[in-house]
Amino acid sequence: MTTANTELYPEAQLVTDLREWMPHQRWFAAKGQTLTGVRVLLRDPLVEEPGFGADHLLVKVSFESAADQIYQVPLGYRPHLPDDLQQWTVAGPDESRGRSVYVYDGLRDQEILDRYSRNLASGTTSGPVELHNVPGSVIEPGLRGRALSAEQSNSSVVLGEKLLLKMFRRLTLGINPDVELPLALGEVGCRSISPIRAWIEAEVEDVRTTLAMVQDFAANSADGWSMALGSVRDLLIEGDLRADEVGTDFAGESQRIGAAVADVHAHLVAALGTGERTAAELSEGMIGRLEGAAAEVAELSELAPAIRARFEEFAGLGRVPVHRIHGDLHLGQVLRTPERWLLIDFEGEPVKSLEERRKPDHPFRDVAGILRSFDYAAHHSVRESQQGAAVASQREFRAREWAERNCAAFCEGYAAASGTDPRDSGVLLRAYELDKAVYEVVYEARHRPSWLHLPLEAIRRLTAM
Ligand SMILES: Nc1ncnc2c1ncn2[C@@H]1O[C@H](COP(=O)(O)OP(=O)(O)O)[C@@H](O)[C@H]1O
Ligand SMILES: [Mg+2]
């Protein structure tokens, strides 16, 4: 199909440019893989005006030794690029290649964001794209868009400081749990999440697939990770004070985070029910991941038998209750609003298949995610500083103390709200903590070898308990 945009920017050149540009983007998940092909699955014109164009694109990327991936890529086209858009350039004009315009990341252009905002408010979609409003929710017209600067694995746009449009960058065919779970939670009245107002989906390769969602924007909020880091920083500055004596003690917040996680768990049960799985089956998965990790990371091999023994101990627990969980919980996935803590980002672990992510699991996977995150937060600033051995060991001791204090407070909050203290089920909790630490070992070995000792140290501690 030819449109004004395809004349402006022929598809063959688009594909060549994307192939060059995409691997360098923050959201590109296949870093280091050799690309073998790029194919445009959908090219939906959003703007076609003299001197200004924009397309909404779905792009499939193939690799030499990895499964295909599909990405969502909004692009803008302009003959002249304002200064603030320069850094988002995909390619500049080059008549010899049939490209007469600048091509750039469309989500950085105010006018394009406003166009998305207008379409959401009016319900305008084109091609195979469908907009669903949650009953009772209206998206008011005229909300100005602004790209959220904290660029994560997806791209979020704040609309009028009221709503957040989250566009999934890497698409997983099917309904994204980041829409499914908050929608179900909203229906049963859960207040520890940001309510969903609308979502966008399309048939992609014959599968109904979530492209984006709109939820309430929590203005004046801070994420748990930054708050925790601030608390640790203050603690380490105060030479001799303990975690409970400094101004920014985090334990009260940790307790409230525990209560919020328990609240979400209870509502997930109310909305989507419970089931049972055998601990043997769950432990088998953990052992499989351990074997894979030990084969990859030499430092893990000496600890592997002790970890395995913990997983086998867990396998002996018989049947355990399971339900849908968050699945990728850490301190960066909780937001402190002026009123309460919210859990966000219910996508689950992006490396897992959708089927795996949707499988009910024991809620302690989420609990373990937060506990491990406290360990990371505690050691973050210790790691980053260059100091002598004596000071380092003193800081290390106090960081450990901070982590223990906040883990305990979190468990107390979880226990008070749910009636179940995770610490009373040590075998179960340790298995999930170890499973997470094994995952971290692989991650650090691949991306940040100087951090490898952190999960290894946690494994030593957990297996010695
Ligand atoms: N409802 C919201 N209100 C305010 N800020 C939010 C909201 N949802 C997400 N954010 C901000 O955006 C960041 C990334 O959101 P998240 O859903 O975790 O995206 P990703 O999938 O890219 O990790 C969060 O750390 C938070 O700072
Ligand atoms: Mg996130």
Side-chain angles (χ1 to χ4, degrees):
M1 189 175 70
T2 48
T3 66
N5 286 350
T6 56
E7 301 222 328
L8 202 65
Y9 189 28
E11 185 142 323
Q13 190 56 41
L14 163 70
V15 163
T16 308
D17 294 339
L18 285 175
R19 187 175 176 138
E20 187 59 39
W21 177 75
M22 285 176 61
H24 304 292
Q25 302 314 301
R26 168 79 177 79
W27 38 260
F28 191 76
K31 297 248 161 54
Q33 294 282 350
T34 310
L35 259 78
T36 52
V38 168
R39 194 154 64 85
V40 174
L41 299 181
L42 174 97
R43 184 174 184 180
D44 195 17
L46 185 69
V47 182
E48 295 190 292
E49 289 168 8
F52 182 28
D55 281 329
H56 190 99
L57 294 146
L58 298 186
V59 180
K60 183 164 182 167
V61 187
S62 316
F63 304 95
E64 205 170 82
S65 53
D68 292 353
Q69 297 182 350
I70 300 175
Y71 288 93
Q72 190 160 214
V73 188
L75 293 181
Y77 317 124
R78 288 178 185 271
H80 307 284
L81 212 52
D83 283 349
D84 59 325
L85 288 175
Q86 299 279 353
Q87 59 168 314
W88 308 108
T89 307
V90 175
D94 185 347
E95 293 294 351
S96 71
R97 295 167 180 275
R99 188 177 57 225
S100 57
V101 285
Y102 282 94
V103 178
Y104 58 94
D105 183 348
L107 288 184
R108 300 293 165 172
D109 183 330
Q110 180 70 56
E111 281 191 62
I112 295 177
L113 297 183
D114 289 346
R115 210 62 68 104
Y116 276 111
S117 172
R118 196 191 307 166
N119 289 352
L120 280 171
S122 65
T124 310
T125 53
S126 60
V129 179
E130 271 178 31
L131 171 70
H132 297 265
N133 275 303
V134 173
S137 294
V138 273
I139 297 178
E140 61 182 275
L143 297 177
R144 295 230 86 185
R146 125 178 116 78
L148 200 65
S149 54
E151 184 79 12
Q152 310 272 329
S153 36
N154 294 298
S155 294
S156 297
V157 177
V158 182
L159 302 172
E161 306 304 311
K162 288 185 173 168
L163 297 173
L164 187 89
L165 165 68
K166 178 169 172 180
M167 204 176 272
F168 298 107
R169 284 295 192 162
R170 180 179 169 194
L171 296 184
T172 310
L173 295 184
I175 301 303
N176 195 309
D178 206 10
V179 168
E180 182 199 12
L181 295 183
L183 202 57
L185 286 165
E187 280 169 12
V188 292
C190 181
R191 287 167 46 82
S192 304
I193 55 157
S194 183
I196 286 236
R197 301 302 176 193
W199 72 96
I200 298 171
E201 56 185 41
E203 293 282 333
V204 181
E205 304 201 309
D206 300 324
V207 183
R208 186 141 289 282
T209 297
T210 315
L211 303 183
M213 62 104 146
V214 178
Q215 62 175 195
D216 283 359
F217 176 65
N220 303 313
S221 61
D223 69 88
W225 175 250
S226 335
M227 288 179 69
L229 290 189
S231 165
V232 177
R233 200 162 44 229
D234 291 353
L235 171 68
L236 295 178
I237 280 174
E238 302 281 346
D240 297 319
L241 294 177
R242 289 197 320 269
D244 56 345
E245 295 170 330
V246 291
T248 50
D249 179 23
F250 196 64
E253 300 294 357
S254 296
Q255 194 168 0
R256 285 187 277 277
I257 295 172
V261 173
D263 183 54
V264 166
H265 283 165
H267 282 95
L268 282 168
V269 168
L272 301 163
T274 50
E276 277 190 338
R277 280 170 79 181
T278 64
E281 180 210 340
L282 292 163
S283 142
E284 214 170 278
M286 294 174 178
I287 291 173
R289 287 186 285 276
L290 171 63
E291 283 168 352
E296 184 176 332
V297 185
E299 288 87 340
L300 196 58
S301 50
E302 125 199 37
L303 293 167
I307 305 173
R308 198 190 173 100
R310 293 304 193 177
F311 290 160
E312 280 163 359
E313 195 182 0
F314 168 47
L317 292 184
R319 306 180 77 79
V320 295
V322 292
H323 56 73
R324 292 295 299 277
I325 60 168
H326 181 285
D328 184 25
L329 201 55
H330 52 79
L331 287 167
Q333 310 273 44
V334 291
L335 278 189
R336 176 74 158 98
T337 74
E339 292 83 33
R340 62 176 71 85
W341 282 94
L342 305 178
L343 273 60
I344 57 166
D345 196 358
F346 285 79
E347 260 195 294
E349 266 178 54
V351 291
K352 290 189 176 166
S353 72
L354 191 59
E355 192 194 349
E356 276 179 285
R357 288 190 246 161
R358 299 189 67 225
K359 219 167 176 183
D361 200 342
H362 196 278
F364 285 5
R365 181 174 295 290
D366 287 345
V367 170
I370 295 276
L371 297 184
R372 293 295 312 129
S373 199
F374 281 129
D375 193 27
Y376 265 83
H379 290 91
H380 196 80
S381 23
V382 177
R383 282 279 81 211
E384 310 279 270
S385 74
Q386 311 279 327
Q387 302 207 314
V391 179
S393 108
Q394 161 73 354
R395 288 163 67 93
E396 171 65 36
F397 176 80
R398 304 191 52 227
R400 187 72 243 126
E401 208 175 47
W402 183 95
E404 278 166 14
R405 174 172 172 78
N406 286 284
C407 285
F410 172 85
C411 289
E412 276 158 28
Y414 190 90
S418 68
T420 305
D421 191 327
R423 293 167 297 182
D424 293 341
S425 313
V427 171
L428 223 168
L429 183 59
R430 257 194 314 271
Y432 277 99
E433 284 180 279
L434 282 167
D435 189 39
K436 183 76 191 183
V438 166
Y439 165 89
E440 291 161 1
V441 164
V442 176
Y443 179 89
E444 302 301 4
R446 284 184 193 166
H447 304 287
R448 292 191 302 190
S450 68
W451 282 73
L452 189 53
H453 83 102
L454 182 60
L456 287 174
E457 193 48 49
I459 290 172
R460 279 188 205 103
R461 215 168 44 238
L462 289 161
T463 49
M465 273 179 182

